[in-house]
């Protein structure tokens, strides 16, 4: 069964194109990373899927229903974590989550049980009785994710969910996402995120789909990538076929496309290098790929 069907969808704001002829299917339980630079249309796409916005052309179906025609029914099945945390600053974390849980028709005892469980998973249990207005942006993001899990959603829409989180907290969010049975659409501009979610990738550029499929197919679409590799110990390596700069245990490589990363790693290991970490130096995906 298709959980999400986006068919030739276009959206315009004051005549300016936000999305144009976007189409893709997503089966129940699949996870999709929507990757693109700022202004690519990622947030607009998530709002369209959620039913917050209405397409100007084309149609979207979620769990077999049109989100615009059945908004109340869809709200019970979809969770959306956007740039706005949708939390009340003057209420405590627990008060916020009880309020939202009751909107889903949950009993207080069930809400508290879910909150305890998910806050522990996000390493945020200490903030249960803290007013949201006193929290950091990263912690607010964790609480928003906890809120999104309250109704055991069948579909989760996440807009840059790790933007303000440290690496440890980001990994906690990725673990929750990968263990979830929900259909998930995860928007990000960070290249390294595509390796952390077990799912498909859709590349957006200026409102149009540049690529859609599994990660191996998509990697070839990402051009001019800089990669940083840290070795467990300093060892000078002679690696042919790549533009490389090595200082101590740090290797910086310039690649024509991201699909060359596995070959680079294999050559480093082949030459006796013990890899501690691999990361993109590109902070976000550029407009030239």
């Amino acid at each position: 069964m298709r959980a999400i069907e986006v068919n030739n969808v276009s959206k315009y704001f004051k005549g300016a194109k936000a999305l144009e002829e976007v189409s893709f299917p997503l089966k129940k339980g699949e996870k999709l990373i929507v990757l693109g630079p700022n202004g690519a249309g990622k947030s607009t796409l998530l709002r369209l899927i959620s039913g917050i916005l209405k397409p100007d052309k084309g149609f979207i179906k979620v769990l077999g229903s049109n989100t615009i025609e059945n908004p109340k029914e869809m709200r019970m099945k979809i969770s959306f974590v956007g740039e706005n945390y949708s939390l009340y600053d003057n209420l405590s974390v627990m008060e916020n989550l009880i309020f939202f849980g009751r909107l889903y028709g949950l009993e207080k005892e069930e809400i508290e049980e879910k909150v305890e469980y998910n806050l522990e998973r996000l390493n945020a249990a200490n903030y249960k009785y803290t007013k949201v207005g006193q929290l950091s942006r990263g912690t607010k993001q964790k609480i928003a994710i906890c809120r999104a899990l309250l109704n055991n959603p069948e579909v989760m829409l996440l807009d840059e969910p790790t933007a303000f989180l440290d690496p440890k907290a980001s990994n906690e969010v990725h673990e929750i996402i990968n263990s979830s049975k929900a259909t998930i659409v995860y928007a990000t501009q960070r290249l390294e995120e595509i390796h952390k979610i077990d799912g498909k990738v859709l590349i957006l550029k200026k409102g149009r789909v540049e690529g859609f499929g599994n990660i191996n197919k998509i990697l070839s679409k990402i051009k001019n990538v800089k990669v940083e590799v840290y070795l467990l110990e300093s060892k000078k390596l002679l690696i042919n076929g790549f533009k490389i700069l090595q200082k101590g245990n740090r290797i910086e490589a310039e690649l024509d496309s991201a699909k060359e990363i596995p070959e680079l790693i294999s050559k480093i290991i082949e030459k006796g290098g013990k890899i501690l970490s691999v990361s993109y130096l590109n902070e976000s995906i550029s407009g030239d790929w």
Side-chain angles (χ1 to χ4, degrees):
M1 174 185 173
R2 287 185 174 178
I4 298 174
E5 183 180 359
V6 177
N7 194 301
N8 290 321
V9 166
S10 297
K11 183 65 183 177
Y12 304 92
F13 295 106
K14 296 181 179 179
K17 174 185 67 180
L19 289 175
E20 189 167 10
E21 297 181 357
V22 172
S23 295
F24 65 88
L26 206 58
K27 293 179 182 177
K28 193 171 183 179
E30 282 189 320
K31 297 169 179 60
L32 175 68
I33 300 169
V34 180
L35 180 68
N38 283 332
K42 302 186 300 297
S43 297
T44 299
L45 176 60
L46 265 61
R47 287 184 170 88
L48 286 164
I49 296 171
S50 72
I52 295 172
L53 296 177
K54 181 180 180 180
D56 292 316
K57 294 180 182 178
F59 68 86
I60 297 173
K61 285 189 176 181
V62 178
L63 303 171
S65 296
N66 187 306
T67 53
I68 299 297
E69 294 173 0
N70 303 283
K72 187 175 181 180
E73 178 188 347
M74 289 295 98
R75 279 198 294 269
M76 301 302 291
K77 297 178 179 180
I78 299 175
S79 284
F80 181 34
V81 178
E83 297 174 27
N84 185 336
Y85 303 111
S86 299
L87 299 167
Y88 295 100
D89 284 348
N90 60 328
L91 297 180
S92 71
V93 168
M94 184 61 81
E95 287 169 337
N96 263 281
L97 296 175
I98 288 174
F99 171 77
F100 286 107
R102 295 306 293 267
L103 292 180
Y104 289 123
L106 303 176
E107 296 296 328
K108 184 179 177 182
E109 186 176 312
E110 182 182 0
I111 297 167
E112 289 176 340
E113 186 177 323
K114 287 185 175 184
V115 169
E116 292 277 356
Y117 174 66
N118 287 313
L119 287 181
E120 284 288 347
R121 295 171 77 192
L122 290 163
N123 197 29
N126 291 339
Y127 301 106
K128 278 187 296 187
Y129 304 113
T130 304
K131 286 189 176 183
V132 166
Q134 298 173 356
L135 301 176
S136 67
R137 295 181 78 176
T139 304
K140 287 180 181 178
Q141 190 79 336
K142 289 183 179 184
I143 306 310
I145 292 168
C146 186
R147 174 184 55 77
L149 294 168
L150 282 173
N151 61 326
N152 294 326
E154 294 182 52
V155 173
M156 286 186 70
L157 308 173
L158 306 171
D159 194 357
E160 303 277 3
T162 61
F164 304 108
L165 301 181
D166 60 39
K168 183 176 183 296
S170 294
N171 288 337
E172 291 163 355
V173 171
H174 293 140
E175 286 175 12
I176 288 173
I177 291 169
N178 284 320
S179 65
S180 174
K181 294 181 181 179
T183 304
I184 293 174
V185 182
Y186 181 114
T188 183
Q189 63 172 313
R190 298 191 64 85
L191 287 168
E192 62 191 58
E193 296 278 276
I194 67 175
H195 299 285
K196 297 179 180 179
I197 305 297
D198 183 17
K200 293 181 176 179
V201 181
L202 181 141
I203 293 180
L204 276 182
K205 181 182 180 183
K206 296 180 180 178
R208 299 185 69 93
V209 175
E210 291 283 305
F212 172 70
N214 62 42
I215 189 170
N216 292 327
K217 176 182 177 181
I218 294 303
L219 285 176
S220 64
K221 295 278 186 180
I222 304 172
K223 307 294 185 182
N224 303 318
V225 174
K226 290 185 179 181
V227 176
E228 181 180 64
V229 180
Y230 275 96
L231 304 176
L232 191 59
E233 54 191 29
S234 295
K235 181 179 181 179
K236 189 66 177 177
L237 304 177
L238 181 60
I239 301 172
N240 298 319
F242 292 96
K243 191 184 295 183
I244 281 177
L245 176 64
Q246 182 175 358
K247 290 184 179 180
N249 70 330
R250 179 181 179 273
I251 295 174
E252 182 179 320
E254 294 184 22
L255 309 177
D256 291 333
S257 78
K259 71 177 182 179
E260 296 179 351
I261 294 172
E263 183 183 353
L264 172 65
I265 292 170
S266 294
K267 286 199 172 185
I268 291 173
I269 294 172
E270 182 184 309
K271 295 295 182 179
K274 296 179 180 179
I275 295 176
L276 185 62
S277 67
V278 181
S279 59
Y280 289 100
L281 285 176
N282 311 58
E283 288 188 2
S284 64
I285 193 162
S286 69
D288 184 21
W289 26 274

